[in-house]
Amino acid sequence: MVTVNKIISRITETRWSKLYIATASLQALIIIILQALICSQNTLQASILPETKGSVLASNITHAGIPAQAADRLGRIIWENIAFIGFQVWFLVMVFDATVYQNTAEILALALLNCICAILGALQVVDGNKWLERLSDTEYDTVYLQTAMRLEIALCVVILIFACMMSYLSYEMSRQFGWNIYKKIGADVQMQKMYRMFQFFVLALKIDVFTEFLVSLFYVIQFGTKVEGVVWETGIQIVVTILILPMLYFARTAGSTESYGRMITFITFEAIVIVHYSLILKQTLQPDNSWYTWICLVIIGILICAATGSLGAICMNNFGRGLKSYVQRGSSKKTQQDVEMAKNTNNNWQIDED
């Protein structure tokens, strides 16, 4: 069971864990502040532009339609800013989680996601500059957009610096965790492989919180309830979105208890989620829609969802091979360890009567 003392102990275990947590916390604080400032500037800029009727980002943009197109795009960029803020909150929680539970796969994956975040930050600068140039030829003032672009450049530099720092710290943390896993599992290579595979499965579940639940929730709020003529599709999307978080927890318990029925149920649900994302893509891939960031998020969601289901199937194949006692949490962990200890004691003291 996770206690305050255990959390403090894991965080302060080595100088690398202290630096890792401190750096991640500072990164989240600075990036959230910058994104909030950028979001406010984009909101102010959108407020002085003409309102759009419907959601259009046409490929062929006329000079007269630039302000309306910019207003539509800025409205979407604002949600991207909110998504960045949400990502940083999720990232910080995962950093603490990876440190407390000493998950090497999670540490390395977070480093990779941080680098991807740096790339997306650079794309924000490019996109902001594009619309600044287009609006400069109109009668509308662009002072807010200019401020937002400067903040985006600063954000890009900050993310890049932190991505490099976190990559190095993640490497050091993975070395520390590798030794801890060896002490926990032992020298059994096959057991270590199964344990790492389970770690990847748990990691995929945590990533799904962002790529499945938050993306689905965002779509339902922004688009699902506004689409006409697809009531049944919207109903499926709402139901799936509500079930995602409970099913992710359900999958974690399925792995730790080695329940075939629960795991099969979860894998089936992941297949339904892929259908759910296919419906989103069908409604999103319109000729006049050039919001590529959103389309990429949906595609990434499909890939992560498929990977989670596959990892679940691999973990299910490892059920009954001795891993169960190493993946328990709380009281279940202590009970399982007591059973294993009693079993080993009986084996050690058994007298051969033959």
Side-chain angles (χ1 to χ4, degrees), residues 215-246:
V215 171
S216 296
L217 181 64
F218 172 77
Y219 179 82
V220 169
I221 293 174
Q222 283 296 299
F223 300 102
T225 56
K226 299 178 182 179
V227 178
E228 298 179 359
V230 287
V231 177
W232 68 273
E233 294 180 0
T234 303
I236 291 176
Q237 291 159 355
I238 293 175
V239 171
V240 170
T241 301
I242 293 173
L243 290 176
I244 286 175
L245 286 183

Side-chain angles (χ1 to χ4, degrees), residues 138-209:
T138 66
E139 70 275 14
Y140 291 93
D141 191 4
T142 60
V143 60
Y144 299 120
L145 199 55
Q146 291 176 24
T147 303
M149 192 185 70
R150 296 189 187 98
L151 290 171
E152 286 168 353
I153 294 174
L155 174 68
C156 185
V157 174
V158 168
I159 293 177
L160 183 60
I161 293 174
F162 275 110
C164 294
M165 294 172 62
M166 290 297 289
S167 295
Y168 177 72
L169 291 173
S170 297
Y171 168 72
E172 293 294 343
M173 290 289 285
S174 66
R175 291 179 60 189
Q176 173 187 326
F177 291 171
W179 172 241
N180 290 341
I181 291 174
Y182 178 81
K183 290 189 294 183
K184 178 178 181 179
I185 303 297
D188 189 334
V189 177
Q190 186 62 30
M191 188 66 68
Q192 289 182 9
K193 288 181 179 179
M194 291 191 297
Y195 184 77
R196 292 187 186 279
M197 190 58 62
F198 184 82
Q199 282 192 320
F200 278 115
F201 174 64
V202 174
L203 169 63
L205 295 177
K206 295 171 182 177
I207 295 177
D208 283 337
V209 173

Side-chain angles (χ1 to χ4, degrees), residues 76-91:
R76 300 181 182 215
I77 291 177
I78 290 170
W79 281 100
E80 289 179 16
N81 299 144
I82 295 174
F84 259 97
I85 293 174
F87 173 81
Q88 288 302 318
V89 173
W90 173 85
F91 178 83

Side-chain angles (χ1 to χ4, degrees), residues 48-307:
I48 65 175
L49 296 174
E51 294 184 3
T52 58
K53 295 181 180 180
S55 178
V56 290
L57 278 177
S59 301
N60 299 322
I61 302 177
T62 63
H63 184 272
I66 286 177
Q69 292 287 340
D72 186 70
R73 182 65 184 116
L74 285 173
R76 300 181 182 215
I77 291 177
I78 290 170
W79 281 100
E80 289 179 16
N81 299 144
I82 295 174
F84 259 97
I85 293 174
F87 173 81
Q88 288 302 318
V89 173
W90 173 85
F91 178 83
L92 185 59
V93 172
M94 290 300 100
V95 164
F96 276 89
D97 182 87
T99 304
V100 171
Y101 291 108
Q102 300 188 330
N103 191 323
T104 304
E106 190 171 350
I107 287 284
L108 298 177
L110 289 174
L112 177 61
L113 290 173
N114 219 21
C115 294
I116 295 175
C117 186
I119 296 173
L120 293 176
L123 291 177
Q124 268 194 321
V125 175
V126 174
D127 197 36
N129 184 65
K130 178 182 70 175
W131 288 103
L132 178 60
E133 290 180 351
R134 289 178 176 177
L135 282 175
S136 297
D137 296 331
T138 66
E139 70 275 14
Y140 291 93
D141 191 4
T142 60
V143 60
Y144 299 120
L145 199 55
Q146 291 176 24
T147 303
M149 192 185 70
R150 296 189 187 98
L151 290 171
E152 286 168 353
I153 294 174
L155 174 68
C156 185
V157 174
V158 168
I159 293 177
L160 183 60
I161 293 174
F162 275 110
C164 294
M165 294 172 62
M166 290 297 289
S167 295
Y168 177 72
L169 291 173
S170 297
Y171 168 72
E172 293 294 343
M173 290 289 285
S174 66
R175 291 179 60 189
Q176 173 187 326
F177 291 171
W179 172 241
N180 290 341
I181 291 174
Y182 178 81
K183 290 189 294 183
K184 178 178 181 179
I185 303 297
D188 189 334
V189 177
Q190 186 62 30
M191 188 66 68
Q192 289 182 9
K193 288 181 179 179
M194 291 191 297
Y195 184 77
R196 292 187 186 279
M197 190 58 62
F198 184 82
Q199 282 192 320
F200 278 115
F201 174 64
V202 174
L203 169 63
L205 295 177
K206 295 171 182 177
I207 295 177
D208 283 337
V209 173
F210 184 81
T211 59
E212 281 190 20
F213 176 69
L214 292 181
V215 171
S216 296
L217 181 64
F218 172 77
Y219 179 82
V220 169
I221 293 174
Q222 283 296 299
F223 300 102
T225 56
K226 299 178 182 179
V227 178
E228 298 179 359
V230 287
V231 177
W232 68 273
E233 294 180 0
T234 303
I236 291 176
Q237 291 159 355
I238 293 175
V239 171
V240 170
T241 301
I242 293 173
L243 290 176
I244 286 175
L245 286 183
M247 288 302 297
L248 293 178
Y249 178 78
F250 184 78
R252 177 62 177 85
T253 61
S256 60
T257 59
E258 296 192 348
S259 171
Y260 287 94
R262 294 185 193 178
M263 188 62 77
I264 291 173
T265 301
F266 173 71
I267 293 173
T268 303
F269 178 75
E270 288 296 271
I272 295 173
V273 173
I274 291 177
V275 174
H276 158 65
Y277 270 121
S278 299
L279 293 175
I280 292 178
L281 269 184
K282 177 184 176 183
Q283 297 170 2
T284 303
L285 291 175
Q286 301 297 329
D288 58 353
N289 184 10
S290 58
W291 193 6
Y292 303 117
T293 302
W294 168 253
I295 295 173
C296 288
L297 277 176
V298 176
I299 294 175
I300 290 174
I302 293 175
L303 295 176
I304 297 295
C305 184

